Amino acid sequence: MPRLSPRLIRHAHNANPLLKLLLPVCRDLESARNELRWLQDHAVGLAARSRNAPQTWQTRLQVMVRQRATGKPLQYILGTEYFGDLEIVCRPGVLIPRQDTAASVAHLAHLLQSNDCLPNRLRVLDLCTGSGCIPLLLEHLFSQSGDPPDLQLLGVDVSKRCLDLAEENKARCQARHAEFAQADVLATGDVSPQGQPLPALLKSRASPNWDILISNPPYISSHDFRKTTARSVRKFEPKLALVPPAGVSEIPDDGDLFYPRLLDVADHVHSKVVLFEVADLSQALRVASMAKKKGSWDGVEIWKDEPGAKDDSMVQLEQVVSGLKVLGRGNGRSVVCWRDQGARWLGRT
Ligand SMILES: C[S@@+](CC[C@H](N)C(=O)[O-])C[C@H]1O[C@@H](n2cnc3c(N)ncnc32)[C@H](O)[C@@H]1O
């Protein structure tokens, strides 16, 4: 990372001493100015809403700027982040939703809404739901289409803190079709030290079948977490959300731990479509190969960060890597599999 020049630091300080504190995390003056403006708006708003509290907005702003200067993500300080059009509440202990995830979910919703063969009732299971952003965005996107199916959305997470926040986000988004429940996705038997095993939760539901299975599981390998994950992510976001537990399996890439389990669950609940987020193209190719080896899918493809991106002639960007179709622009972001009616739901017939 290039060093900041003393001239730039002096310039920031002269403009506003708080800008100088923000400069090292923001890296350029324009970003620091933007963040200072957002933080100031937030501090003024908080002070106005709590008139009886002793702190002025100026004191609040100073505290927030100092927190930000330690690398604390802006979303944890401001308390929200956009996920598509939804403003999702963010809190330490729960992963901040990412725009790349929203882009995959929005593309899936777009494909599903582009055909008239969806069943009247569509059941979607989101494993590792975190803030609940994925089911909430799906409900929001479907609510905007003319004749939406009767959606049943279930978000599952092992963390009580995540589920509390997901419920809060549900109320904030006025969602009616999303539910959230606690379970350990990795647990296959009758017991789990982390709470209810997933099979017990699924057994307790009215129907054993889930048409679509989505998951953005912890997928960073312990090596990449140490060597390449950004310091602010390592320091402030929950490791439970990022890195699969160690010593649970012998698979060579420990970041891949959740995917065989997710593919087993997809078979168990007879999903017709799955969408799994991954870290990059290498992991996408490994996960796609796991799916192909199962032999239970009619089609497997990889989506990049912007899966619907088109070229200058408005033709969908598409390439073939190791025999697999890779769609869109950016890095490998998700693996999509389908079977039976799922092919028609995605327009893949
Ligand atoms: C990468 S985050 C994804 C959160 C959210 N879906 C999103 O896209 O922002 C992974 C989530 O998996 C949850 N998780 C970790 N281990 C789990 C397990 N064994 N069973 C269920 N959820 C788990 C974490 O609590 C975390 O919320």
Side-chain angles (χ1 to χ4, degrees):
M1 194 186 295
R3 285 190 304 163
L4 297 166
S5 75
R7 200 168 147 266
L8 182 65
I9 297 172
R10 248 192 335 270
H11 183 59
H13 180 80
N14 290 341
N16 184 335
L18 295 179
L19 274 180
K20 181 182 158 189
L21 293 179
L22 290 175
L23 199 53
V25 274
C26 295
R27 304 306 301 167
D28 64 72
L29 205 52
E30 197 189 332
S31 310
R33 280 207 170 97
N34 281 335
E35 288 207 5
L36 184 58
R37 204 178 56 243
W38 298 328
L39 289 168
Q40 179 167 324
D41 288 350
H42 188 56
V44 169
L46 280 180
R49 283 196 295 279
S50 42
R51 287 215 183 86
N52 297 332
Q55 293 151 307
T56 61
W57 70 261
Q58 288 91 340
T59 315
R60 288 172 192 268
L61 178 61
Q62 293 218 352
V63 171
M64 288 177 195
V65 168
R66 283 181 206 290
Q67 286 177 344
R68 181 70 186 119
T70 66
K72 184 170 182 175
L74 191 67
Q75 295 89 338
Y76 285 152
I77 302 174
L78 296 178
T80 60
E81 169 65 315
Y82 278 99
F83 190 69
D85 285 342
L86 292 183
E87 199 176 354
I88 294 287
V89 178
C90 299
R91 195 161 295 142
V94 182
L95 192 90
I96 298 165
R98 305 298 205 263
Q99 285 312 325
D100 295 336
T101 310
S104 303
V105 173
H107 190 62
L108 175 67
H110 167 72
L111 294 180
L112 295 172
Q113 289 166 338
S114 303
N115 68 74
D116 52 11
C117 55
L118 285 185
N120 293 337
R121 195 184 63 171
L122 191 67
R123 304 185 85 225
V124 182
L125 182 61
D126 173 38
L127 298 179
C128 303
T129 199
S131 59
C133 54
I134 292 175
L136 294 174
L137 181 60
L138 273 178
E139 175 166 347
H140 171 73
L141 293 170
F142 269 98
S143 72
Q144 294 181 320
S145 68
D147 185 18
D150 171 17
L151 274 183
Q152 292 186 6
L153 302 149
L154 176 63
V156 176
D157 205 285
V158 74
S159 151
K160 174 81 171 57
R161 204 186 275 209
C162 288
L163 293 163
D164 289 346
L165 190 65
E167 289 293 349
E168 192 176 327
N169 277 314
K170 176 182 167 175
R172 184 188 171 101
C173 298
Q174 300 182 348
R176 291 186 301 117
H177 301 282
E179 272 184 87
F180 297 100
Q182 190 170 19
D184 179 355
V185 168
L186 292 175
T188 50
D190 295 334
V191 284
S192 155
Q194 304 223 60
Q196 175 175 226
L198 183 67
L201 170 69
L202 295 177
K203 237 186 255 167
S204 73
R205 313 303 291 192
S207 161
N209 295 349
W210 292 89
D211 302 305
I212 298 180
L213 172 60
I214 303 183
S215 184
N216 174 16
Y219 55 60
I220 302 177
S221 69
S222 42
H223 173 270
D224 286 356
F225 184 72
R226 283 193 309 274
K227 299 285 179 201
T228 59
T229 300
R231 193 168 160 271
S232 77
V233 175
R234 261 187 291 126
K235 194 167 161 204
F236 291 97
E237 298 205 60
K239 196 171 177 191
L240 176 71
L242 301 166
V243 186
V248 177
S249 117
E250 298 295 303
I251 60 175
D253 292 282
D254 59 1
D256 295 352
L257 182 86
F258 275 75
Y259 299 104
R261 172 75 186 127
L262 292 170
L263 285 165
D264 284 349
V265 175
D267 283 350
H268 183 72
V269 302
H270 303 110
S271 298
K272 308 291 184 286
V273 171
V274 300
L275 170 70
F276 297 153
E277 182 162 324
V278 292
D280 54 24
L281 188 59
S282 311
Q283 191 170 45
L285 290 168
R286 292 196 300 275
V287 174
S289 141
M290 288 175 203
K292 288 191 117 182
K293 272 199 198 121
K294 290 218 102 188
S296 51
W297 296 101
D298 298 333
V300 179
E301 68 189 22
I302 292 171
W303 292 358
K304 292 187 170 185
D305 296 323
E306 295 172 56
K310 299 190 166 61
D311 66 13
D312 293 343
S313 333
M314 298 309 284
V315 175
Q316 162 84 56
L317 286 173
E318 177 178 319
Q319 59 186 140
V320 175
V321 181
S322 305
L324 280 156
K325 206 182 256 189
V326 180
L327 300 174
R329 182 186 294 122
N331 205 342
R333 184 53 52 204
S334 34
V335 174
V336 178
C337 314
W338 62 86
R339 60 187 158 211
D340 308 331
Q341 306 95 299
R344 285 198 292 137
W345 299 350
L346 296 178
R348 298 297 189 258
T349 47

